[in-house]
Amino acid sequence: MSASVISSPLGQTISVSTKVKFITPPSVSALRATTSRVRRRLKTPMSSQSTAGDQAGQKAVWALDFDGVVCNSVGESSLTAWKAAEQHWPDVFKSEQANAKKKQVIEGMEHVRPVIETGYENLIQVRCLLEGISTDDILNNWHTLLPEYMDKWQQSRKELVELFGSVRDAWIAEDLPGWLDANGIYPGLPQDLAVAQRDHELYIVTTKQARFTEALMRDKAKLDFSADRILSTAETGQPKSEVLKQLEQRHPGMSYHFVEDKLGTLNKVCQVKELDHWMLYLVDWGYNTKQERAQAADNPRIHVVNHQQLSQAVRH
C-alpha cells in the first residue's frame, strides 16, 4: 500500500498509510531544559554570540568602575573617614572611649563597605558604628539609615564630600607612600587595563574624586592614564547611566561594556532603555555580597564574572 507524507502545523512529519502516525512532540520538561541551555549560552560573556559591531579586531568602549573593580580602597577609606571624623566631630571622636573602639570600628568598616556608593558616606558610617549601630543593620538598611542620620546630625552632602577630599589631600601631601600603601590594586587588573587601553576606548567611571583615582592609576597601578578618561560622578553629580550615554555619543557605532562591583548601579542601568545594548558585568570580587551575586545571576542582562572571564572578554 502506498504512503504519503505531509507536514503538521507544528513541523512534525505525518506518515499516511493505513494508519496515521504522529511523531511524539517533545515533553514540557525537555522544552524547559532546552530553554535553560539557550539562556545559559546567551548569558555567557565569552560565547560566540556577540553584540552588534563587536567583532575581533574592532574597538569597543570599556567603562570600568574603580573602587571594588580596580582598586581595593577599604583600608584607606576607613582610615580617612576616621581622620575626617576627628576633625568634624572632635567631641565625639577625640575621646578615650572612641580611641578604645577605633580598631573595632575600622574592622567593622570592612564588613559594611558593600553598601557605600560615594566616599563621604564613610563619615556617617564610621560614626554609626562608633555609636553602636550593628554591621547587620547597616548592611540591610543603609538606604534608610544614611538619610536618617544625615538629617539627625544636620549634615550637608557637599560639606562632607569636601571634607573627605581635603583630609585625603592632606594625607597624600604629608605621607604619599603611606596613603598608597593603604590602597591595593587587584592582581592582574593593571595588565587588563593596559590591553584595554591599547586596543579599545577605555574609561574609568567612578564615584571617587578624579585626582585620587589618577594618583592611584599612576603610582599604584603604574599606568599612564589620561585625566580626561577618568569620569567622576562625585564631582559632576550625574548618575553613571548618564555618563554611559555620553560615552556612546562620543564613540558611536561601537560595542559597549560596563564593569561594576555594585549590583544597585547595574540595576539602575538596566532600567534605562537607551542602554539596553550595553554589556553589563558584575565582578565576583570587590564590594558585593554572595546574595547580590546570586541576584545578578538571575538577571539576563548581567554577567557575573571572575577575573579570568573579564580578562578574556577584554581581549576578545
Side-chain angles (χ1 to χ4, degrees):
M1 182 181 292
S2 61
S4 60
V5 177
I6 62 174
S7 296
S8 77
L10 296 177
Q12 283 90 26
T13 301
I14 301 175
S15 176
V16 181
S17 57
T18 57
K19 295 182 179 179
V20 178
K21 181 181 179 182
F22 292 88
I23 294 177
T24 304
S27 66
V28 172
S29 60
L31 285 171
R32 286 175 176 167
T34 300
T35 302
S36 177
R37 287 194 297 271
V38 170
R39 288 188 65 185
R40 284 198 298 270
R41 284 199 296 269
L42 289 174
K43 277 207 66 171
T44 303
M46 272 59 72
S47 73
S48 58
Q49 300 195 31
S50 60
T51 56
D54 188 11
Q55 300 173 354
Q58 184 170 334
K59 278 192 172 185
V61 172
W62 281 87
L64 275 68
D65 178 40
F66 190 69
D67 288 324
V69 173
V70 178
C71 179
N72 182 4
S73 61
V74 66
E76 180 273 329
S77 61
S78 300
L79 290 171
T80 297
W82 187 276
K83 291 172 183 283
E86 286 182 327
Q87 290 186 25
H88 198 54
W89 297 298
D91 55 327
V92 176
F93 279 83
K94 287 193 172 181
S95 66
E96 291 184 7
Q97 295 90 336
N99 193 55
K101 293 181 179 179
K102 180 178 179 179
K103 182 179 179 181
Q104 177 185 345
V105 169
I106 296 301
E107 289 174 351
M109 292 288 284
E110 295 183 18
H111 293 289
V112 296
R113 181 59 180 83
V115 296
I116 289 285
E117 291 191 3
T118 306
Y120 81 92
E121 296 175 31
N122 285 282
L123 272 146
I124 302 298
Q125 212 172 69
V126 78
R127 182 167 177 180
C128 284
L129 288 170
L130 181 63
E131 297 198 358
I133 298 174
S134 70
T135 55
D136 284 345
D137 197 7
I138 292 174
L139 281 172
N140 295 324
N141 302 299
W142 186 239
H143 63 291
T144 57
L145 288 175
L146 176 61
E148 176 186 340
Y149 282 94
M150 287 284 287
D151 182 61
K152 178 180 178 179
W153 296 327
Q154 299 181 320
Q155 298 303 299
S156 156
R157 181 188 188 278
K158 183 175 183 293
E159 181 184 357
L160 293 183
V161 168
E162 291 174 352
L163 172 63
F164 199 66
S166 67
V167 170
R168 268 186 171 148
D169 283 332
W171 188 358
I172 290 169
E174 295 166 6
D175 181 20
L176 177 59
W179 181 77
L180 290 171
D181 285 345
N183 291 276
I185 301 296
Y186 291 107
L189 265 295
Q191 293 83 357
D192 297 333
L193 291 171
V195 170
Q197 193 175 26
R198 181 194 67 204
D199 296 342
H200 303 292
E201 299 291 349
L202 175 63
Y203 291 87
I204 297 296
V205 181
T206 179
T207 57
K208 202 183 201 77
Q209 289 166 296
R211 63 187 183 276
F212 304 124
T213 305
E214 185 179 5
L216 288 164
M217 289 287 281
R218 180 186 64 243
D219 297 327
K220 198 75 175 179
K222 306 300 181 183
L223 288 171
D224 183 13
F225 203 77
S226 175
D228 64 2
R229 295 274 172 151
I230 299 172
L231 308 176
S232 170
T233 62
E235 296 170 1
T236 65
Q238 292 180 311
K240 289 188 178 183
S241 56
E242 287 300 315
V243 177
L244 299 184
K245 290 180 187 177
Q246 292 166 9
L247 288 178
E248 185 168 346
Q249 291 171 359
R250 189 181 300 182
H251 302 285
M254 293 187 174
S255 64
Y256 305 96
H257 307 259
F258 179 43
V259 185
E260 256 287 352
D261 71 310
K262 293 288 188 184
L263 177 60
T265 302
L266 293 177
N267 284 337
K268 290 174 184 176
V269 172
C270 289
Q271 295 170 8
V272 181
K273 186 172 179 57
E274 300 95 309
L275 301 175
D276 278 352
H277 52 289
W278 278 72
M279 298 284 286
L280 306 179
Y281 306 85
L282 181 77
V283 299
D284 70 355
W285 62 91
Y287 313 131
N288 53 55
T289 65
K290 183 178 179 180
Q291 291 79 6
E292 287 173 328
R293 292 191 289 275
Q295 291 172 24
D298 288 336
N299 186 332
R301 284 289 315 281
I302 300 173
H303 305 289
V304 181
V305 293
N306 58 32
H307 175 251
Q308 181 180 8
Q309 290 169 324
L310 179 65
S311 183
Q312 289 172 349
V314 168
R315 289 163 172 77
H316 178 65

